[in-house]
Amino acid sequence: MRIVLVGPPGAGKGTQAAFLAKNLGIPHISTGDLFRANISQETELGRQAKSYMNAGNLVPDEVTIGMAEDRMRQSDAENGFLLDGFPRNVSQAVALDAFLDGTGTKLDAVLDLEVPEDEIVKRIAGRRICRNDSAHVFHVFYASPKTEGVCDVCGGELYQRGDDTEATVRNRLDVYHRETEPIIDHYKAQGLVVTISALGKVEEVTRRAMAALPQLRH
Ligand code: AMP
C-alpha cells in the first residue's frame, strides 16, 4: 500500500504514521525525520534545511524532492510506504505523481487528519520527543511520561523540538493553510482522499484510520 498522510502540525501525524506503518507492514517515511537526522549528523543537507525548519518554513523543493525520492527508492519501500510530511505543496505532489508514474505504481490513499485550530497550538506547545527515537512522543498534559523528562519506552531524554515554540507553530499553521492544504484538492481530483477526525485517544484515531483505508483500495 502507498499512503500519504496529510494534516496540520499537531494533528498527530508522526504518532499515527508510526502505528499505521507498523500495522500495515510498510516503512514510515517522514521527511521531517530525515531532515532532523541530517541536522544531528551535521550533513550538508542538514545545514541547508536547518534555518527553514527553525523558522517553520518549508525547505526548498530542490532539496526536499530528491531526498524523498532517494528514500522511496530504497529496497524496503518496494512494496509500499507511508509518507508523513511529504508532499507538502502542490509542486511536490506533482513531482510525486511523476515519480510513481515512472516506477509504474500509484497511491492507494491520502489520509487527511482533521483537527480544530484552537486544539493545535495546545497540542504542539506541550509536545515532548525522545532524543533516541522521534516515534516516542509524549505530552505534558495528554500523555505525560512516568518520570518528567524521561522516555517511558527507552529511558532517553525528552526534549521540545526547536520548531515547536508558539511563534513558530503559528507560522507553520499559516504555511500549512497556504501551501499544504491545496494538495488535498489535488488528490480529491484523483479520488484518493479520506478525511478522519484526529480528536480523541491515539488508539481511537488509529482504529478510525485503519477502518477508513480499505474503502480506498482500487
Ligand atoms: P515535520 O516533522 O513533518 O513537522 O516537519 C518539520 C519541518 O521540516 C517542517 O516544518 C519543514 O520545515 C520541514 N519539512 C518536512 N517535510 C517537508 C517537505 N515535504 N517540504 C518542505 N519542508 C519540509
Side-chain angles (χ1 to χ4, degrees):
M1 245 193 162
R2 290 175 182 80
I3 300 169
V4 168
L5 202 58
V6 215
K13 279 197 306 298
T15 308
Q16 288 305 325
F19 281 112
L20 289 171
K22 199 165 165 228
N23 281 345
L24 296 165
I26 50 180
H28 167 201
I29 300 182
S30 156
T31 40
D33 283 352
L34 292 173
F35 284 132
R36 278 184 288 277
N38 274 280
I39 290 171
S40 66
Q41 287 154 20
E42 298 182 350
T43 67
E44 174 56 24
L45 201 150
R47 195 194 57 73
Q48 288 172 354
K50 193 171 179 175
S51 60
Y52 295 99
M53 288 178 77
N54 283 341
N57 292 322
L58 295 188
V59 179
D61 289 348
E62 305 84 81
V63 178
T64 306
I65 292 169
M67 179 184 76
E69 291 186 354
D70 284 348
R71 180 62 189 88
M72 287 186 286
R73 270 193 210 100
Q74 284 172 26
S75 57
D76 65 335
E78 222 166 78
N79 296 315
F81 44 73
L82 192 153
L83 292 177
D84 159 16
F86 181 85
R88 237 186 177 89
N89 60 26
V90 172
S91 64
Q92 291 180 11
V94 169
L96 176 61
D97 289 347
F99 174 81
L100 293 172
D101 266 354
T103 58
T105 58
K106 57 187 171 69
L107 291 176
D108 294 285
V110 174
L111 192 63
D112 171 27
L113 297 182
E114 221 172 36
V115 62
E117 190 105 6
D118 56 352
E119 179 72 14
I120 292 174
V121 176
K122 212 159 60 181
R123 281 189 179 198
I124 296 188
R127 181 157 71 179
R128 299 292 181 271
I129 289 173
C130 177
R131 285 218 187 269
N132 296 339
D133 187 339
S134 63
H136 304 162
V137 184
F138 297 84
H139 194 282
V140 291
F141 304 119
Y142 302 130
S144 54
K146 290 194 191 79
T147 308
E148 198 187 317
V150 180
C151 176
D152 286 357
V153 184
C154 69
E157 184 199 353
L158 299 181
Y159 76 109
Q160 184 175 37
R161 275 170 45 175
D163 60 349
D164 273 355
T165 60
E166 189 161 336
T168 306
V169 170
R170 298 221 175 267
N171 188 43
R172 283 164 64 201
L173 265 174
D174 285 347
V175 169
Y176 178 76
H177 290 310
R178 199 174 55 239
E179 307 258 0
T180 309
E181 257 175 0
I183 74 172
I184 295 174
D185 281 338
H186 174 87
Y187 287 126
K188 272 190 180 154
Q190 300 180 23
L192 290 173
V193 177
V194 66
T195 302
I196 63 162
S197 164
L199 289 181
K201 292 208 180 86
V202 169
E203 313 85 73
E204 280 168 29
V205 180
T206 309
R207 248 195 316 275
R208 234 174 262 152
M210 289 301 287
L213 285 174
Q215 298 167 14
L216 286 160
R217 283 193 190 139
H218 303 291

